[in-house]
Amino acid sequence: MLLRITLPDSSIKEYSAPVTPLKVAEDISPRLADAAIAAEVNGKLVDLNHEITEDSNLVLHTFTTETGKEIYWHSTSHLMAQAVKQLYPKVKVTIGPAIEQGFYYDFDRDEPFTEEELLKIEARMKELTAQNLPYTRKELSKQEAIDMFAAQNEDYKIELIQAIPDGDIISTYQQGDFIDLCRGPHLPHTGKIKAFKLLKTSGAYWRGDEKNKMLKRIYGISFPSNKELTAYLDMLEEAKKRDHRKLGKDLDLFSMDDEVGPGLVLWHPNGAMIRHLIEEYWKDMHLRHGYKFVYSPHVGRSNLWHTSGHLGFYNENMYAPMDIDGQEYYIKPMNCPFHIAIYKSAMHSYRELPMRLAELGTVYRYERSGVLHGLMRVRGFTQDDAHIICTAEQLPTEVENILTFSMDMLRHFGFENFQIYLSTKPEHPVGEDKDWEIATETLRKSLEKLGIDYAVDEGGGAFYGPKIDIKIKDALNRAWQCTTIQFDFNLPTRFNMEYIGADNQAHRPYMVHRAVLGSMERFFGTLLEYHAGNLPLWLCPVQVMVIPITDAQIEYAKELTTKLLAQGIRAESDMRSEKIGYKIREAELKKIPFMLIIGKNEVENDKVTLRRHTVGDLGSMELADAITKIKEEH
RNA sequence: GCCGAUGUAGCUCAAUGGUAGAGCAAUUGAUUUGUAAUCAAUAGGUUGGGGGUUCGACUCCCUUCAUCGGCUCCA
């Protein structure tokens, strides 16, 4: 029987049935067959030795595709589990998926895995790859699967199998003496895994639930060549250099102090200057987009938090109350109740809506000690918060405006790659289904109208409303949520918010929480990492360092500095009696964008020599030309 | 909070049970320099805190705090 197979390049070839993707790959080229990892037949992922028995579309995956990587890493995780089982037979295996970068496997074992043990496991893995053990698939019934893993005493696997709906195909993959429950597909054999490294260990709860037992997790990464592995490890090293915590120290931007307390940020003059510039831009943009600024206190009486409901659903993130004149006050974890109180201080007509109340509001939240992370997750932080109160008709325009406004602002800071999520109704929502539908559709339509790529996080919304989040990645590719646009069906009701409509009746407004940057702290952290500390000129605390070569040019340097300052350029001069090379080195290390080098020649000819950070000497020129060049970068 | 690692001078790091060191930074002096580190001197420490073992602890043990990597949650 003849089959027609459509190949990735859309050409069609005929084969006699059955044929495997591997044979097709070999037919195309030996190199492709060597690189191939798995195949997609009519849209379904299969092993390379899967038998094709009907006319099919075939896509071959190599390590270069996302799917290829996932399969490669997943096979490596099975390999690691095999090595662990051989070395430590009493350890129970649980789950071991591929993740965004690499893979992990969780084991039930009391002792932690030490670094020496990781090396031992790696060595065993190496031996197993040399044996070219094929990964073989076997399908079996639920009971057969349970019996098999019961015989091996792998209770976690049994728990997993029991959760699989009856009638679903249950498959296992076996390489050598190791068998694992797995949907597949997998590499043809272990010899395909050429280069790997076990990176770190950690604890992880069974099924991510802290009520469950804590397992021991091993993370690793693998590649089809040593070259790629080395490149990856180098990349990790490189990423460390742009860690915002390191940059914060090197550039003297911020610190945290044991005595002050964990998760509480001290902004040094340089960092504070950058923050000031961010805030200045932020305020300007908000005024241009019809926001009104408000200020609110840092504490509020317990009644407020009872009304808002925070004492119920947000209690574990709030700090203990303080007693003032026999009344309980709480430090604020959110700004919303205050903004609502401002709204409620008067009656409002539909003519006043939409009302956009904005504040750089500092909040304090209890975060568990283990989760604090530099500036990215702290206990005291300033949100660039705003609440938009509007009618149903105004919703689409408001949401679109927030989206374009947010992305414009993020782009102004140099960000270009965002991950955008639409999170929909969770399991126990408050509010009317109708409102959820309107709000979710509004969000979805806005995204689509603006042609924004997004992913849907089904059921990932807050209990009080659906939301859109924009995440930005840090140096290590970890995504951090910055922008968030959240509907709220809870607080307007709890606070009984109203406006008087054209019909002279009271109506409940819609309320949207939104933060563009998220928090000053987190945004600052991602900004630093994104630019590796080389901030855009408009954000640099010192834009120009004037460097006299000898003491003889000090007067001229002072003059130049004054002239630059008068032009609105942030300039300083380095008048220490150090050699020019030293002063340049220091300015370069501080990542100051421009240097004006002043020597005897410059003074005599009334010129300056300009140097650009990371670029080098730009030559001698009139001060006016230098200023033009500097301003061009703005 | 849980699992693990780490904590020595302002910073980066030495010192594996026997007198806590180096480089940079700081201070003082000399030097007046042409595009990424001039030289010298001085000062700087309850080795995160507390407790224990020991003749003797940075080193070993307990405890506590903090940081780092994860788990969970979120700006």
Side-chain angles (χ1 to χ4, degrees), chain A residues 337-564:
Chain A
F338 298 94
H339 291 193
I340 292 170
I342 291 168
Y343 177 83
K344 286 198 37 152
S345 66
M347 288 276 272
H348 296 289
S349 148
Y350 70 97
R351 296 172 192 275
E352 292 173 68
L353 304 184
M355 187 180 287
R356 310 182 188 94
L357 302 178
E359 176 180 13
L360 292 166
T362 305
V363 296
Y364 293 86
R365 298 181 185 174
Y366 172 71
E367 295 288 353
R368 304 160 103 190
S369 58
V371 306
L372 299 175
H373 180 95
L375 291 181
M376 302 302 207
R377 184 166 300 111
V378 291
R379 285 182 172 162
F381 57 99
T382 301
Q383 292 181 302
D384 67 315
D385 210 356
H387 293 89
I388 292 166
I389 299 153
C390 66
T391 67
E393 298 72 51
Q394 292 165 338
L395 279 179
T397 325
E398 286 307 306
V399 171
E400 280 163 36
N401 285 347
I402 299 171
L403 276 172
T404 45
F405 175 60
S406 300
M407 313 244 314
D408 283 353
M409 276 185 72
L410 293 176
R411 286 200 188 96
H412 189 69
F413 287 98
F415 292 107
E416 269 156 28
N417 299 315
F418 315 116
Q419 293 183 327
I420 298 171
Y421 297 90
L422 169 64
S423 302
T424 61
K425 191 162 76 177
E427 260 184 57
H428 304 289
V430 299
E432 307 290 323
D433 280 353
K434 170 184 69 90
D435 282 335
W436 275 90
E437 216 168 282
I438 292 173
T440 311
E441 276 318 294
T442 304
L443 292 174
R444 193 189 302 274
K445 278 185 189 150
S446 302
L447 287 166
E448 267 153 26
K449 186 169 166 192
L450 297 171
I452 297 170
D453 275 336
Y454 67 97
V456 177
D457 181 3
E458 224 37 89
F463 73 89
Y464 51 78
K467 61 175 183 170
I468 292 175
D469 292 325
I470 303 182
K471 296 187 181 185
I472 302 178
K473 286 186 172 179
D474 73 7
L476 281 173
N477 231 17
R478 292 176 292 207
W480 296 94
Q481 181 183 314
C482 288
T483 304
T484 185
I485 305 169
Q486 309 186 349
F487 271 88
D488 194 326
F489 304 127
N490 185 41
L491 293 181
T493 308
R494 283 183 156 269
F495 280 96
N496 197 23
M497 292 169 77
E498 288 181 340
Y499 68 92
I500 306 299
D503 56 3
N504 203 27
Q505 299 293 307
H507 298 272
R508 173 117 323 139
Y510 279 84
M511 184 166 91
V512 179
H513 310 259
R514 49 109 282 188
V516 176
L517 310 179
S519 76
M520 300 311 294
E521 287 74 9
R522 179 177 291 179
F523 185 72
F524 189 62
T526 48
L527 185 69
L528 280 177
E529 300 205 356
Y530 185 79
H531 291 290
N534 298 308
L535 294 177
L537 187 70
W538 71 278
L539 283 168
C540 290
V542 179
Q543 296 169 311
V544 179
M545 183 60 80
V546 180
I547 303 177
I549 294 177
T550 75
D551 290 356
Q553 292 87 40
I554 283 186
E555 279 313 307
Y556 189 62
K558 280 185 184 164
E559 232 175 83
L560 287 176
T561 310
T562 311
K563 284 183 183 164
L564 289 167

Side-chain angles (χ1 to χ4, degrees), chain A residues 112-122 198-201:
Chain A
F113 288 100
T114 63
E115 279 187 36
E116 296 77 56
E117 285 177 317
L118 288 191
L119 293 176
K120 262 173 80 180
I121 297 166
E122 273 182 10
L198 305 186
L199 296 167
K200 58 195 175 193
T201 60

Side-chain angles (χ1 to χ4, degrees), chain A residues 549-613:
Chain A
I549 294 177
T550 75
D551 290 356
Q553 292 87 40
I554 283 186
E555 279 313 307
Y556 189 62
K558 280 185 184 164
E559 232 175 83
L560 287 176
T561 310
T562 311
K563 284 183 183 164
L564 289 167
L565 287 171
Q567 291 284 321
I569 295 169
R570 291 184 291 278
E572 287 183 6
S573 46
D574 184 347
M575 300 195 284
R576 295 173 300 176
S577 65
E578 294 289 350
K579 291 176 90 168
I580 173 82
Y582 180 82
K583 293 188 194 179
I584 286 175
R585 178 181 155 82
E586 289 231 319
E588 288 283 347
L589 290 175
K590 284 184 186 158
K591 303 182 189 288
I592 294 169
F594 287 101
M595 284 149 265
L596 276 190
I597 316 293
I598 312 300
K600 201 168 130 209
N601 298 334
E602 284 76 10
V603 177
E604 276 171 11
N605 304 316
D606 200 21
K607 294 209 165 173
V608 298
T609 296
L610 192 62
R611 182 188 165 96
R612 181 71 177 87
H613 167 56

